[in-house]
Amino acid sequence: MKDRVLAAVVAVVAIAYLYSDWRIPRLELGDPLGPRAFPALVGIMLLISAVLLMLETRRGRQAPIATAERSGPSHVPVLAGILVWTIAYYAVFEAAGYIIATIVYLFGLLCVFHKGRHKSNALIAAGFTAAAYGVFSQLLNVQLPLGPLSF
Amino acid sequence: MDSLHGIAHGLAIAAMPTHLLYTLVGVFTGTMISHLPGIGPSAGIALLIPATFGMDPSAALMMLAGIYYGCMYGGAVTAILLNTPGDAAAVMTVLDGYPMARKGRAGAALAIAAVSSFIAGTLGVSALAFVAVPLSELALKFGPAEYFTLILFALTTVSALTGESIAKGMMATCIGLAISTVGLDLQSGTARFTLGLSELQDRVNFLVVAVGMFALSEVSRMVEGTREGTMHAVRVQGRLWFTREEWRRAWPAILRGGSVGFFCGAAPGLGGTISAMLSYILEKKVSRRPHEFGHGAIEGVAAPEAATNADTCGAFVHLLALGIPGSGSTAVIMGAFIMYGIQPGPMLFQSQPDLVWGLIASMYVGNVLLLVLNLPLVGLFARILYVPPGVLLVLILGIAAAGIYSFDTQVFDLYLALAFGVAGYAFRKLDIPRGPLIFGVILGGLLEQSFRQAMTISSGSPLIFVGSPIAVFLLLCSVVSVGASLWAKRRPATKMLLTGG
């Protein structure tokens, strides 16, 4: 069932990809194929792979559930929480600056995955952030945003 | 420059203090990464590529290669002490390594793993040095049509041999190829599949894909492991060495495993996991004590460890000689080459002899460093296992954010990597292999370029792809790889081998 849904989703994606390709303006400029030919081949192969998966599923050759990695239902809310927390971190990454945003982000995660050790969690979050900032900003000359700390 | 002169020249370059330092940093980091369950060499290399920005490309590549084989070297430690392979290739080491540790022979298992890796790694580098030159000379005769068929062969083999389902392998490759078409078309300047986003005009950076698909998605595996409480390490007790009897049993296994590993590495798509499995099966077949396998046979540790380390050398053969990666990790390293403005392939031996021979020779140096580091420091490295996994996974998220942002200093890349992380999680849950996708992303540009050049030469006739014996041979190889995979997957024993089941 899982693989049939996957095949259907990939088929839809392949058709959307082929449609987008078809809308690309043809500019050949000495190139007999232009920018549309290669993506068209890729889209067709993607569509074929979806059909093949559907055929494999019908022949009962799909992965037995026992070999597929299963996520216990309790993990999904935790992973969703990490996802939302990470999006929030990226959203304030430039405004709050790397140092403030990363310390808060890491401390929040550590409170969940390294429970009950607030003092050491705070030290880990601050220490890691300072080290990462030092390496990237000072050694590698990468401009990490400082936010309100840019004085 | 012939191979012997090349090695001698390369050793002089690799022995320069800066290069020695970066090789040491690479192998040390690789060993540490291998001790983090769930984070494999591809994720480790992708996470650390930003740390090489601004470095001399030779030193950077020596470091990244060091991370790769350092990771393979150290993958055995978690397999032996934690019953969890540090990377997928160490999956067979678990079978006998963990039972040895449970019997109080963890020290012997760790020592034989280190010695096997050293011997096979050193022999593998020698084989690499002698095979790569003639192969690159042959590849110099390739035109666009031959290159197209060569890349097609690599992609077909990877699609067919990775994972359980050929359809899913093909799907992952095509998704990777589709990602490679996003951005401005280099020949016409037309924007393709950018969804109106200016950030996508410059193409999707492979680093964003690699960190998302490998590192961020692996965090989800670590979350599962942390919350299920499955990570409990056996403590190392007793002497860190093996007995004379154990060595007598292990050395033939090392030589056989090393040979199997090198040939598997040199075949695109087979990878370390399959070479470890093949060497384990071979060892069990030839052993006079097959009943001991799975209960702590030292050959069951020596052979797969030798195979995975020789496999890394084999994987470098076609990366350096042909410009085609042989595994997910070498695909990421190839991405790094391209980022530094260096195109790996047959011209590399002529245009950048210092870089290529220095890199090969640094693997000799790295193997010695790994042996020197690993044996006395194995207890110290093993302490990483006792660091709470919850802390490690949080730090990986922190490193990933700084690394991705540092590439182009735009927050858009962070969101994109997160999206690839979610996709990687879905791939894992749906049993879609991630390696072929990275192959597609890395090789997509080259494949399209050679396709269009060949079609321009032939004025639009596709017959050019069957116009030379080399192209026909490579197309036949592609057909054979798919046929062999279809045949193998119908047989339960080989199906298990190919799927890692």
Side-chain angles (χ1 to χ4, degrees), chain B residues 392-452:
Chain B
L392 291 176
L393 77 89
V394 169
L395 298 186
I396 286 163
L397 287 167
I399 294 170
I404 296 163
Y405 186 82
S406 66
F407 182 71
D408 243 354
T409 59
Q410 53 181 14
V411 175
F412 179 81
D413 284 344
L414 293 173
Y415 288 115
L416 201 56
L418 189 62
F420 279 114
V422 174
Y425 173 76
F427 270 44
R428 188 158 66 80
K429 292 296 166 193
L430 294 167
D431 291 322
I432 307 172
R434 288 169 293 174
L437 183 136
I438 293 292
F439 266 65
V441 173
I442 299 274
L443 294 176
L446 279 174
L447 185 71
E448 179 173 10
Q449 199 184 356
S450 52
F451 177 65
R452 285 166 78 170

Side-chain angles (χ1 to χ4, degrees), chain A residues 17 31 35 56 69 75 94, chain B residues 165 181 192 405 428 452:
Chain A
Y17 179 78
D31 171 7
E56 276 186 10
E69 286 190 59
H75 298 132
E94 285 183 328
Chain B
S165 154
T181 61
R192 299 189 299 189
Y405 186 82
R428 188 158 66 80
R452 285 166 78 170

Side-chain angles (χ1 to χ4, degrees), chain B residues 38-333:
Chain B
I39 295 294
S42 307
I45 296 165
L47 275 172
L48 289 165
I49 284 176
T52 65
F53 292 164
M55 274 169 60
D56 160 39
S58 293
L61 289 167
M62 284 177 192
M63 190 178 102
L64 295 178
I67 294 173
Y68 180 31
Y69 55 82
C71 238
M72 290 298 178
Y73 213 95
V77 178
T78 52
I80 292 165
L81 299 181
L82 205 63
N83 201 23
T84 306
D87 55 77
V91 68
M92 301 313 282
T93 311
V94 170
L95 298 181
D96 285 282
Y98 189 64
M100 278 184 77
R102 294 289 298 269
K103 288 177 187 169
R105 299 290 299 145
L110 290 168
I112 203 70
V115 171
S116 308
S117 302
F118 170 73
I119 295 172
T122 307
L123 294 176
V125 178
S126 307
L128 159 67
F130 285 96
V131 172
V133 175
L135 196 60
S136 70
E137 282 166 2
L138 174 73
L140 281 173
K141 295 176 183 143
F142 286 17
E146 286 80 10
Y147 248 99
F148 175 80
T149 51
L150 175 69
I151 298 169
L152 197 66
F153 168 53
L155 291 174
T156 314
T157 315
V158 168
S159 304
L161 294 179
T162 317
E164 182 168 345
S165 154
I166 289 183
K168 287 182 181 176
M170 185 175 159
M171 205 174 262
T173 307
C174 291
I175 294 170
L177 290 173
I179 292 167
S180 78
T181 61
V182 174
L184 288 181
D185 172 39
L186 293 177
Q187 273 164 282
S188 64
T190 314
R192 299 189 299 189
F193 315 107
T194 55
L195 308 170
L197 297 166
S198 58
E199 291 92 343
L200 287 177
Q201 288 197 348
D202 220 9
R203 298 188 161 235
V204 178
N205 188 271
F206 94 97
L207 190 65
V208 172
V209 185
V211 171
M213 291 296 289
F214 289 118
L216 294 186
S217 74
E218 286 306 307
V219 165
S220 64
R221 194 202 296 269
M222 294 181 81
V223 168
E224 289 161 12
T226 309
R227 288 174 62 81
E228 283 167 5
T230 53
M231 296 178 180
H232 298 292
V234 175
R235 296 213 173 245
V236 184
Q237 292 168 332
R239 210 163 70 100
L240 267 168
W241 200 244
F242 37 82
T243 62
R244 192 171 291 212
E245 166 62 14
E246 283 170 331
W247 172 246
R248 197 185 56 73
R249 286 174 58 174
W251 74 262
I254 295 171
L255 295 181
R256 281 189 289 266
S259 310
V260 170
F262 186 79
F263 284 111
C264 284
L270 283 179
T273 312
I274 291 177
S275 61
M277 287 181 173
L278 278 175
S279 66
Y280 187 88
I281 291 168
L282 173 70
E283 222 39 58
K284 196 173 173 180
K285 286 260 185 212
V286 300
S287 173
R288 274 179 280 171
R289 311 175 188 86
H291 56 279
E292 286 184 19
F293 279 72
H295 302 284
I298 200 154
E299 301 94 319
V301 177
E305 278 306 304
T308 50
N309 283 277
D311 180 274
T312 59
C313 304
F316 271 100
V317 169
H318 29 80
L319 174 65
L320 296 177
L322 305 175
I324 306 291
S327 63
S329 303
T330 43
V332 180
I333 292 176

Side-chain angles (χ1 to χ4, degrees), chain A residues 22-52:
Chain A
W22 178 69
R23 292 188 56 185
I24 294 171
R26 276 184 77 95
L27 290 167
E28 291 175 5
L29 297 171
D31 171 7
L33 297 174
R36 280 161 50 172
F38 181 76
L41 283 177
V42 172
I44 291 166
M45 293 307 289
L46 189 59
L47 199 56
I48 291 173
S49 72
V51 174
L52 280 178

Side-chain angles (χ1 to χ4, degrees), chain A residues 2-3 13 16 119 126 136:
Chain A
K2 198 171 64 174
D3 284 350
V13 170
K119 205 179 277 183
F136 280 94

